[in-house]
Amino acid sequence: MPNMRPDKNPMPSQAPDVRNKNFLEVALGYDAETAIDEAKRCLHCKNKPCTSGCPVQIDIPAFIAQVAEGNFEEAYQIIAKSSSLPAVCGRVCPQETQCEGKCVRGIKNEPVGIGRLERFVADYHNAHSTEKPQRPASNGHKVAVVGSGPSGLTCAGDLAKKGYDVTIFEALHLAGGVLVYGIPEFRLPKAIVQKEIDGLKDLGVKVDTNVVIGKSLTVDELMQEEGFEAVFIGSGAGLPRFMNIPGESLNGVYSANEFLTRVNLMKAYKEGSATPIEHAKNVAVVGGGNVAMDAARCAKRLGAENVYIVYRRSREELPARAEEVEHAEEEGIIFKLLSNPVEILGDDDFLVKGIKCMEMELGEPDASGRRRPVPKPDCTFTLDVDCVIMSIGTSPNPLIKSTTKGLEVNSHGGIIVDEHEMTTKEGVYAGGDAVTGAATVILAMGAGKKAAASIDAYIQAKSSK
Amino acid sequence: MYKIISKRELNPTVTEMVVEAPFVAKKAQPGQFIILRVDENGERIPLTVAGYDREAGTVTIIFQIVGATTKLLNMKNAGDCLQDFVGPLGRPTETEGIQKVAIVGGGVGCAIAWPVAKKLHEEGAEVHSIVGFRSKDLLILEDEFKACSDKLVVMTDDGSYGQQGVVTKALEELIQSGEKYDRVIAIGPLIMMKFVCQLTKKYNIDTVVSMNPIMVDGTGMCGGCRLTVGGVTKFACVDGPDFDGHQVDFDEAMKRGAMYKSFEREASCNLFKQEVQE
């Protein structure tokens, strides 16, 4: 008999007023007993709607059945067939709109905690397994992967499992993309990312850091001179947008990318770090996505007294995950909704001293179907802040497009691909944010997985001729 | 890891290092830069490519010891390794179509100006170089400039070598004596580049400057290096580092450059403390 309790087992977490002063992981994870109990809530539906909601199609009921029996390593092996980064996905996927959003238990009650179970299983494996994955026999074909974020890592992992000789080229000094420079330690410990990347290396994947494709080497050179038969571009959407309002050059105005890179990748939150960061007292974060929540929560942890989220629409439209918004609120982040900045104010020393905003109201729905925010007449207010973090989105970096012959992009700078993730250039595939613009980790992984299958089919067809 | 092949003291505060970095050496052009980290806990700092040997796979950097990281870098010796070394980054200096050029270098900026002068000289342009230093003991690369310049003027603030005065004085004298330059290329402290631009604006001479804002990644993903050029926000790491000097907002760039001053002083102190402990 399944466990028919209506609610998910709650996630043990650090208390809000403790965790908002440290960078340790907020959510502490299930223990074995809780995991087994939660697993028993699964009804084992025949048509597996949860699996259809997972972009990498993990056989969810099968792994959960193993968890319910206490066979955690077996559960891991089932997940590993489909996912290269379960410890990451269990933590950062928006399960409410993916697997858990499709869970039958979720119709009347809370869905099964699939993400929490995936996380438990992956952490269990990482803590207990000493066996290195077996390196598959080489098939003699070379594939290059540009970018070591979620899409590149997934694509590389899938190809390596098929016997390809895969090299990942990464521009920064550490692999992981947004997993290392963007998502903070308190949501995704970097040791976990490193462990997953080490797992790929054990499979035979080579990771070359400090190589900027488009500068150090071009895509054409990879194919013509370095002997790669196919290239996957997973270079993400890392080009930050600014609002182009007065005062954006003031000292104390950051893009969320810069702020988070300093904090996460360069470890500026640590005492004695070589990379400086401003420890501001009052911070405004402009934007309402997950990145804005991450930046706000980092600012709080760096000692800010007041951290504001300034967002032009209402709470309903916040693009961030509900869970992240709740966590931010619990930690004392102040939400200034229906507010849009018009100017950043500075003092005589060129430092930020405030942000002037307009009050907004919601008008008619726009092209995206969301109600368009329009300014209320004569309603402005000023927040006294000494730091402003712009988190209003990013676009694909134009570097690869501008240095690769025959690679077409759309009007937003996203690389154009067909239904097999193939670009307009033969042998070159792309996926993740480089194609879609800023989206989620799991969608990037799904694209990486699909591209790996297409690359395999392409190379096999070519070499059988 | 990137091995230091050789190290040479150019003056008491400026060091030249040749580093093994074949990928960078293969592609580097004058005007481009690299980003390095000295060790695992280090920060990323940008340094201009002062030279390269494509055959040997080496890249030359020249740096001034100004703070914690450059101090740490200067403690490394030939045979030691640097943790990270990535490039070439930024756009190369445009030299096409220039027949007569004045290259103005200030202090350690001369290390960036020299490869540009060399390239223009090799391409057959008439190169007049004006290099300025505070005093004789800070002079660098004099022979190197001599070898690639049709005319070389050395200026020192205190007159201890060459002519006494600032570089703009020498440049204005050349212009007034009737030298007609297609372009002036100025590389050095912001204040020097600002004054060069004010001068050349007066004479309506096309002027390019190499900007040196604070950088983190150097690949266009953070905007920490942004500056205002012709009223538009540009990222120096991908749109530059070279810009039309008459369009650059130098006052803003100087204020942005000073953003972390207090932290930088403290970092230097911390480093010094560590040395004492060791």
Side-chain angles (χ1 to χ4, degrees), chain B residues 11-268:
Chain B
N11 76 31
T13 64
V14 176
T15 304
E16 177 195 86
M17 267 181 190
V18 176
V19 179
E20 196 173 72
F23 268 136
V24 188
K26 201 173 148 193
K27 283 289 176 66
Q29 299 278 353
Q32 290 187 297
F33 65 95
I34 57 97
I35 292 228
L36 65 77
R37 285 202 313 156
V38 178
D39 59 32
E40 225 177 309
N41 300 314
E43 62 175 336
R44 296 169 68 97
I45 61 161
L47 290 171
T48 306
V49 171
Y52 42 82
D53 183 333
R54 303 212 198 281
E55 298 281 296
T58 59
V59 175
T60 306
I61 50 173
I62 294 176
F63 60 93
Q64 185 167 18
I65 304 152
V66 289
T69 295
T70 41
K71 239 180 242 176
L72 204 61
L73 179 58
N74 197 48
M75 282 156 66
K76 298 277 173 192
N77 292 303
D80 293 343
C81 282
L82 301 178
Q83 180 74 25
D84 297 296
F85 194 91
V86 57
L89 301 170
R91 292 168 183 269
T93 299
E94 283 173 24
T95 54
E96 222 181 284
I98 298 177
Q99 269 149 35
K100 186 165 174 173
V101 64
I103 307 266
V104 185
V108 75
C110 291
I112 310 167
W114 165 52
V116 176
K118 199 164 84 174
K119 182 170 184 217
L120 278 157
H121 177 73
E122 282 162 10
E123 289 172 355
E126 183 178 342
V127 177
H128 292 186
S129 299
I130 303 162
V131 294
F133 303 92
R134 279 211 312 276
S135 60
K136 186 186 175 185
D137 54 329
L138 297 177
L139 178 77
I140 58 169
L141 302 172
E142 189 187 14
D143 293 338
E144 285 84 348
F145 269 105
K146 239 180 221 162
C148 64
S149 306
D150 297 278
K151 189 173 271 184
L152 173 66
V153 184
V154 180
M155 305 292 292
T156 48
D157 292 356
D158 60 1
S160 52
Y161 190 76
Q163 297 179 36
Q164 196 267 323
V166 290
V167 287
T168 39
K169 182 181 155 200
L171 179 61
E172 186 153 30
E173 279 171 12
L174 284 169
I175 295 169
Q176 281 184 341
S177 73
E179 303 284 3
K180 296 257 181 272
Y181 299 114
D182 304 332
R183 181 170 296 173
V184 171
I185 297 176
I187 304 165
L190 288 168
I191 188 76
M192 178 213 102
M193 294 194 284
K194 177 184 169 177
F195 283 126
V196 168
C197 290
Q198 276 176 3
L199 174 72
T200 56
K201 181 89 190 161
K202 204 166 74 180
Y203 293 97
N204 208 12
I205 307 169
D206 185 16
T207 302
V208 168
V209 294
S210 177
M211 299 300 286
N212 49 5
I214 293 171
M215 286 189 190
V216 184
D217 62 289
T219 61
M221 65 168 262
C222 87
C225 66
R226 65 191 186 275
L227 36 91
T228 308
V229 183
V232 179
T233 300
K234 297 278 182 186
F235 291 3
C237 70
V238 286
D239 300 320
D242 288 1
F243 291 100
D244 176 349
H246 295 150
Q247 302 285 326
V248 170
D249 185 340
F250 282 104
D251 294 337
E252 180 188 285
M254 280 186 251
K255 286 170 188 158
R256 284 186 66 79
M259 181 163 177
Y260 294 104
K261 236 182 189 154
S262 58
F263 178 95
E264 284 160 3
R265 264 195 294 271
E266 202 182 311
S268 260

Side-chain angles (χ1 to χ4, degrees), chain A residues 299-354:
Chain A
K300 188 82 188 176
R301 284 162 171 77
L302 289 169
E305 286 162 19
N306 296 299
V307 181
Y308 305 95
I309 291 274
V310 179
Y311 179 59
R312 63 196 183 125
R313 290 184 160 100
S314 73
R315 196 186 164 94
E316 310 288 288
E317 291 83 19
L318 278 172
R321 290 183 68 191
E323 186 184 306
E324 301 309 324
V325 174
E326 280 159 29
H327 278 160
E329 274 182 327
E330 287 167 9
E331 289 168 14
I333 309 297
I334 305 156
F335 283 73
K336 292 280 176 193
L337 300 165
L338 288 164
S339 303
N340 200 30
V342 287
E343 187 181 356
I344 300 165
L345 310 167
D347 64 12
D348 295 342
D349 294 325
F350 206 68
L351 297 169
V352 172
K353 68 168 186 187

Side-chain angles (χ1 to χ4, degrees), chain A residues 177-198:
Chain A
V178 76
L179 307 176
V180 294
Y181 77 73
I183 302 174
E185 185 79 18
F186 57 81
R187 277 217 291 140
L188 179 62
K190 300 310 147 215
I192 285 169
V193 180
Q194 194 52 53
K195 188 121 191 173
E196 306 251 33
I197 291 169
D198 289 345

Side-chain angles (χ1 to χ4, degrees), chain A residues 173 210 215-217 221 238-240 248-249 251-255 257-258 261-262 266 273-276 350 397, chain B residues 2 23 27 37 41-44 84 86-88 90 214 216 219-222 224 226 252 255-256 259-260 263:
Chain A
H173 57 263
N210 293 328
K215 287 284 177 190
S216 319
L217 265 173
E221 286 166 343
L239 188 73
E248 265 181 324
S249 313
N251 286 344
V253 182
Y254 292 89
S255 73
N257 263 11
E258 180 183 358
T261 299
R262 284 178 181 270
M266 306 312 297
S273 153
T275 300
F350 206 68
N397 192 313
Chain B
Y2 302 81
F23 268 136
K27 283 289 176 66
R37 285 202 313 156
N41 300 314
E43 62 175 336
R44 296 169 68 97
D84 297 296
V86 57
I214 293 171
V216 184
T219 61
M221 65 168 262
C222 87
R226 65 191 186 275
E252 180 188 285
K255 286 170 188 158
R256 284 186 66 79
M259 181 163 177
Y260 294 104
F263 178 95

